[in-house]
Amino acid sequence: MAKNDIITIEQLQEKASTYLSEDDVAFIMRAYTYAEEAHRDQYRKSGEAYIIHPIQVAGILVDLKMDPVTVAGGFLHDVVEDTEITLEEIEEQFNKEVAMLVDGVTKLGKIKYKSKEAQQAENHRKMFVAMAKDIRVILIKLADRLHNMRTLKFLPPEKQRIKANETIEIFAPLAHRLGISAIKWELEDISLRYLNPQQYYRIVQLMKQKREQRESYIDEVIQEVNKQLEEINIEAEISGRPKHLYSIYQKMIKQNKQFNEIYDLLAVRILVNSIKDCYAVLGIIHTCWKPMPGRFKDYIAMPKQNLYQSLHTTVIGPKGDPLEVQIRTKEMHEIAEYGIAAHWAYKEGKQLNRDKKSFEEKLTWFREILEWQNETHDAEEFVESLKVDLFSDMVYVFTPKGDVIELPSGSVPLDFAYRIHTEIGNQTIGAKINGKMEPLDYKLKNGDIIEVLTSKHSYGPSQDWLKITQTSQAKNKIRQFFKKQRREENVAKGKDLVEKEIRAFDIEPKEALTEENLKRVYERFNFVSEEDLYAAVGYQGITAALVATRLTEKIRQSRQKEEDLAKTLEGTKTEYKEFKKHKKDSGVIVEGIDNLLVRLSKCCNPVPGDEIIGYITKGRGVSVHRTDCPNVQTEEARERHLHVEWEEDQTQKQYHVDLEISGYDRRGLLNEVLQAVNESKTNITHVNGRSDRNKMAVIQITILIHNTNHLRKIVERIKQIKDVYAVTRTLQ
Ligand code: MN
């Protein structure tokens, strides 16, 4: 990209003709003429005619070989903001797409904001949202910003600093995440010049001093590599890699290094024709010069999220200095320079259809981040959270299967879990990092292999998770979880799900959803209304299948003969009679049969409200289990299942439940848990606490409760305790 030369409209037209059809060129020239008329009599701070700016912006887009709609958008990008022309007129004169792109880069007008910052944040939010709909919005915005930065010297110093700051905080990282390094580096270098002129000119000076020495050194390396490659007949383009001032500056500041300690001051790039050649060249480099340990990175096998692919290595070069080498194919290089723009690039009048599907998939992360904008009304908060996700450094970690996951640095295992799947996130109870248990607020490091431990019995996220997670994706899902616990939104969804499940039994919902039947069922689950029942289904506090099973059981019973039940009972009935005298009050009714010994199983400790199943034991009566208890899931056990249900009035009885609470081990945690249980007038029969070397505390308690409603309240109360990560109902 030509940096300082101004492109004329004639030059632009000529460049565009190299890759656009005649009609397309006519289309963009019409956009130029329209913009030229609209901006006539307007001038920039530099004193130039205003139209120079849109021409440069469109010119940058032509350099990126963008499609005609985007280039037209470049010409027209300031028309709506700075002239009397409206979006409707743009749509009429051109088309919907062009108008949409122009709208995306047009700042929000008229509305008054409480501060300049708030207004700017709103503008950014608007741009991000438009960008999620069509990525070309941001390509125009980046081209616009690039030209504005190139001409920043005409603005007053204070504005220079504001623009440079915004560029370094938002636009350069955005270009980076979209893989458009050609624009990213220029934005960064110009910003540095205004943000820290002293350092900027010092680095320029240092670079100059040793330039000759460096260049001859690089030449020597290039010659040596060329000689080697000729021998094995590999065609390659080798060049010294241009240095970017900002990356040198960052290394000097962040890593506190001296100028001459920075490795990639000496760097070469090797472009070849195939992936096979990339690895062949790498082999040769490593044979010629000794590789430095820990510096080899294979972004071909594991591309970055911004689509970047390349091999990186650092070797001890011919003169004993570290030498950075990048090896990639020409196509990879194009994507390394132009990133996402390369996917929009046109060639011979057609859009290059470069694996569009995988390209769209790679953008889903971005769309997911933006989902959060529906949740927050505060644009400043929105932009701040975007900055964390988009713009912080990344860590690369692995799934146990070896897939790479890219996360913002500072991410914890929960961020990873939510990136894999929402359910995995919600059911997380712990994490193994490189095979070792670590607390949930462990900060992930590059190369960590993460195994998330989940439990179906987990009660889901704690409030603390919002504090320890880093990504807005995770925070978003956690918030959604809490939101789902709010009733109203879930009633409709729950009703829908229940009706679907009823139909799965081949029963018309109307038939099952009678007032009487609904009342019977919601009362059995300890709800006070049918809305409550539906809401619980909606937030998955209870499954639709279970509710539907209950709602249809009478209908199904009358439809089906209970042959199996009868048969099973026939053989065992006599056994039970002996135990008649032991019958105790379990609170469970075995339908159709009296005088059975019924006991609640110790393995899963069912409580009223749990879905239960009877199990006919050999000689010990009926044991009652939760239906999800693994002990009654076997094929063999299924044959001995027996329909049982809770007695209607349960208020007087108490049942054992085991809970496991894990969290950060701090003084007072156990006490607070016990206090929380006490406050809800619940008896504790057993307590056990331990903690490990990683400051993870695990507290096991057994409590006496009346029903699942009661249990849910206690669990909610415990989850609100600071530093509690997870509460799980355990099986013994
Ligand atoms: Mn502009």
Side-chain angles (χ1 to χ4, degrees):
M1 226 169 275
K3 281 190 191 178
N4 297 311
D5 304 335
I6 281 196
I7 191 171
T8 64
I9 187 64
E10 292 77 19
Q11 288 165 331
L12 187 151
Q13 187 174 8
E14 200 181 308
K15 253 191 199 173
S17 321
T18 62
Y19 76 97
L20 291 181
S21 70
E22 246 176 70
D23 284 354
D24 288 342
V25 174
F27 179 78
I28 64 166
M29 289 308 286
R30 196 155 63 77
Y32 159 71
T33 313
Y34 193 82
E36 198 275 331
E37 264 171 46
H39 288 299
R40 203 170 284 169
D41 302 328
Q42 288 182 341
Y43 296 91
R44 299 196 90 213
K45 289 261 160 34
S46 60
E48 298 166 314
Y50 195 89
I51 190 64
I52 304 261
H53 168 63
I55 295 175
Q56 303 318 303
V57 171
I60 292 165
L61 294 167
V62 166
D63 279 338
L64 293 172
K65 294 201 168 35
M66 295 307 294
D67 64 302
V69 168
T70 313
V71 177
F75 278 123
L76 297 165
H77 80 273
D78 276 335
V79 162
V80 174
E81 194 170 302
D82 294 338
T83 78
E84 296 296 307
I85 289 167
T86 64
L87 274 177
E88 289 72 29
E89 287 168 88
I90 299 271
E91 186 174 336
E92 219 173 280
Q93 288 289 322
F94 298 92
N95 57 40
K96 245 199 168 94
E97 258 184 295
V98 175
M100 188 267 297
L101 294 182
V102 172
D103 184 32
V105 293
T106 300
K107 285 184 199 137
L108 300 158
K110 329 285 183 274
I111 318 162
K112 282 265 171 272
Y113 292 96
K114 57 178 191 279
S115 69
K116 256 211 136 68
E117 288 73 30
Q119 174 162 18
Q120 197 55 332
E122 278 297 350
N123 285 329
H124 286 148
R125 165 149 77 173
K126 184 190 172 200
M127 182 186 75
F128 283 123
V129 171
M131 169 184 166
K133 282 194 212 122
D134 194 322
I135 207 77
R136 292 174 299 176
V137 167
I138 204 62
L139 296 173
I140 297 174
K141 190 70 206 176
L142 286 173
D144 176 39
R145 178 53 59 120
L146 182 55
H147 183 245
N148 284 337
M149 291 303 285
R150 284 174 183 169
T151 53
L152 200 59
K153 62 172 177 241
F154 299 107
L155 293 189
E158 199 203 310
K159 281 222 163 143
Q160 288 176 346
R161 284 192 67 86
I162 291 172
K163 289 275 169 201
N165 213 0
E166 193 183 65
T167 301
I168 217 78
E169 280 195 338
I170 292 186
F171 292 99
L174 199 48
H176 172 66
R177 290 307 302 272
L178 298 175
I180 314 169
S181 36
I183 289 182
K184 173 206 162 192
W185 282 320
E186 196 182 338
L187 287 178
E188 284 177 343
D189 284 359
I190 302 174
S191 300
L192 181 62
R193 191 158 83 214
Y194 293 97
L195 289 174
N196 198 337
Q198 256 183 334
Q199 284 290 353
Y200 175 87
Y201 289 110
R202 186 174 152 238
I203 294 168
V204 170
Q205 212 45 45
L206 286 164
M207 298 274 290
K208 246 188 217 159
Q209 278 173 14
K210 301 212 166 165
R211 176 171 294 158
E212 236 167 81
Q213 194 188 331
R214 244 185 0 254
E215 280 172 0
S216 79
Y217 182 79
I218 293 288
D219 280 345
E220 196 181 316
V221 169
I222 290 176
Q223 274 175 27
E224 176 67 28
V225 175
N226 259 328
K227 205 174 81 197
Q228 299 276 348
L229 292 185
E230 267 166 36
E231 275 174 35
I232 55 163
N233 244 330
I234 287 181
E235 211 183 292
E237 283 171 27
I238 311 170
S239 55
R241 195 154 72 80
K243 292 320 315 150
H244 299 284
L245 301 169
Y246 187 73
S247 72
I248 295 169
Y249 167 77
Q250 265 192 317
K251 281 181 185 159
M252 289 168 71
I253 299 295
K254 273 201 191 157
Q255 301 171 16
N256 200 14
K257 281 186 171 152
Q258 293 299 310
F259 184 72
N260 54 12
E261 283 180 291
I262 296 168
Y263 296 151
D264 53 7
L265 283 175
L266 291 169
V268 293
R269 178 178 293 147
I270 305 175
L271 303 184
V272 293
N273 292 319
S274 69
I275 291 180
K276 197 180 89 222
D277 287 355
C278 290
Y279 290 99
V281 171
L282 177 74
I284 285 174
I285 299 287
H286 280 180
T287 320
C288 286
W289 298 296
K290 198 171 171 239
M292 286 176 66
R295 298 276 305 173
F296 171 62
K297 289 184 190 109
D298 186 346
Y299 296 119
I300 291 180
M302 299 181 294
K304 290 191 191 180
Q305 207 163 16
N306 69 8
L307 316 167
Y308 179 89
Q309 287 189 294
S310 189
L311 297 177
H312 289 188
T313 187
T314 305
V315 295
I316 307 295
K319 287 189 182 143
D321 289 323
L323 167 75
E324 201 185 70
V325 184
Q326 297 184 345
I327 309 162
R328 56 178 84 141
T329 67
K330 285 165 192 159
E331 197 190 359
M332 287 172 193
H333 182 59
E334 201 176 314
I335 290 178
E337 291 286 299
Y338 301 121
I340 258 165
H343 287 261
W344 275 100
Y346 256 48
K347 209 175 217 172
E348 285 129 23
K350 268 187 285 176
Q351 193 178 332
L352 291 174
N353 227 350
R354 210 193 303 255
D355 198 7
K356 218 152 169 218
K357 201 177 151 223
S358 83
F359 162 66
E360 278 299 320
E361 273 167 19
K362 303 235 164 161
L363 272 180
T364 51
W365 59 269
F366 184 72
R367 303 216 159 94
E368 275 171 14
I369 289 170
L370 285 171
E371 272 175 23
W372 197 44
Q373 80 96 18
N374 297 324
E375 305 266 323
T376 172
H377 297 292
D378 183 347
E380 280 171 271
E381 191 186 335
F382 168 74
V383 171
E384 277 311 308
S385 82
L386 262 185
K387 277 187 199 163
V388 172
D389 271 333
L390 286 175
F391 312 144
S392 52
D393 290 337
M394 305 307 279
V395 288
Y396 298 88
V397 295
F398 295 90
T399 67
K401 280 186 192 158
D403 293 332
V404 190
I405 303 288
E406 192 185 46
L407 289 165
S409 68
S411 288
V412 299
L414 286 167
D415 293 298
F416 175 87
Y418 278 101
R419 176 65 61 82
I420 303 295
H421 197 280
T422 308
E423 278 313 297
I424 292 182
N426 285 341
Q427 295 179 355
T428 299
I429 53 168
K432 274 188 181 169
I433 314 290
N434 307 320
K436 185 170 149 249
M437 277 302 290
E438 295 285 359
L440 289 177
D441 60 354
Y442 169 90
K443 299 263 183 290
L444 300 179
K445 295 182 190 67
N446 274 323
D448 279 347
I449 301 167
I450 300 159
E451 186 188 340
V452 176
L453 308 179
T454 60
S455 165
K456 280 200 172 129
H457 302 289
S458 155
Y459 274 96
S462 317
Q463 291 289 346
D464 253 38
W465 288 15
L466 285 171
K467 281 175 237 150
I468 60 182
T469 49
Q470 181 78 7
T471 56
S472 60
Q473 182 186 23
K475 288 182 198 292
N476 188 14
K477 303 285 187 199
I478 294 163
R479 279 196 196 90
Q480 267 171 22
F481 180 90
F482 290 127
K483 194 175 164 188
K484 274 181 181 162
Q485 290 185 318
R486 276 177 237 149
R487 211 177 72 132
E488 310 80 51
E489 292 124 292
N490 292 298
V491 173
K493 189 175 152 203
K495 186 159 196 278
D496 224 47
L497 290 170
V498 167
E499 289 188 352
K500 213 184 256 169
E501 289 292 338
I502 291 175
R503 284 201 190 89
F505 284 116
D506 227 10
I507 293 171
E508 258 312 298
K510 245 194 289 172
E511 198 183 341
L513 297 176
T514 60
E515 217 178 274
E516 186 199 4
N517 200 23
L518 271 166
K519 188 166 193 295
R520 187 180 64 84
V521 172
Y522 70 66
E523 282 181 348
R524 186 173 314 158
F525 287 116
N526 292 302
F527 293 111
V528 292
S529 70
E530 59 181 272
E531 274 84 357
D532 275 0
L533 177 70
Y534 287 139
V537 173
Y539 69 70
Q540 280 151 26
I542 182 171
T543 67
L546 173 53
V547 173
T549 307
R550 286 307 198 201
L551 282 166
T552 55
E553 64 196 1
K554 293 225 158 137
I555 301 168
R556 285 183 290 117
Q557 273 165 17
S558 65
R559 281 189 185 181
Q560 291 170 6
K561 290 175 193 166
E562 294 185 26
E563 277 175 358
D564 293 348
L565 178 64
K567 204 190 277 170
T568 320
L569 287 174
E570 205 48 48
T572 45
K573 222 170 200 167
T574 45
E575 287 176 14
Y576 303 141
K577 284 188 179 150
E578 296 172 34
F579 296 97
K580 204 170 159 186
K581 55 181 182 285
H582 296 301
K583 190 196 176 213
K584 64 174 180 182
D585 196 1
S586 60
V588 173
I589 302 168
V590 180
E591 241 166 63
I593 310 149
D594 292 329
N595 302 333
L596 287 187
L597 172 64
V598 176
R599 57 188 184 81
L600 300 178
S601 85
K602 285 275 186 297
C603 55
C604 56
N605 281 334
V607 302
D610 282 333
E611 163 79 331
I612 48 173
I613 191 87
Y615 174 75
I616 302 157
T617 64
K618 289 189 179 123
R620 285 181 296 121
V622 176
S623 73
V624 176
H625 295 256
R626 275 151 60 185
T627 41
D628 57 1
C629 175
N631 293 333
V632 289
Q633 302 294 339
T634 61
E635 205 51 49
E636 198 196 336
R638 270 176 219 281
E639 286 172 14
R640 305 177 77 88
H641 278 188
L642 180 65
H643 183 85
V644 294
E645 49 188 65
W646 294 104
E647 276 174 10
E648 298 285 329
D649 179 26
Q650 296 290 349
T651 46
Q652 295 315 307
K653 301 183 194 88
Q654 295 200 319
Y655 299 84
H656 288 274
V657 164
D658 298 311
L659 289 179
E660 187 168 287
I661 298 135
S662 52
Y664 174 71
D665 185 22
R666 62 167 166 84
R667 189 190 294 266
L669 183 66
L670 177 62
N671 257 336
E672 282 174 43
V673 169
L674 298 182
Q675 207 183 331
V677 177
N678 265 333
E679 273 170 19
S680 51
K681 300 198 170 46
T682 304
N683 290 322
I684 303 176
T685 62
H686 175 253
V687 180
N688 181 26
R690 65 189 152 80
S691 73
D692 60 19
R693 261 173 297 155
N694 306 312
K695 297 289 278 177
M696 265 293 272
V698 177
I699 300 167
Q700 287 157 331
I701 58 172
T702 306
I703 52 176
L704 281 170
I705 60 114
H706 296 299
N707 53 43
T708 48
N709 244 1
H710 180 189
L711 177 60
R712 196 156 35 227
K713 275 179 201 141
I714 293 174
V715 168
E716 282 314 313
R717 178 69 191 78
I718 295 173
K719 275 164 65 186
Q720 274 163 20
I721 297 170
K722 186 172 174 297
D723 295 325
V724 164
Y725 297 149
V727 181
T728 315
R729 183 166 166 196
T730 48
L731 295 171
Q732 276 188 337

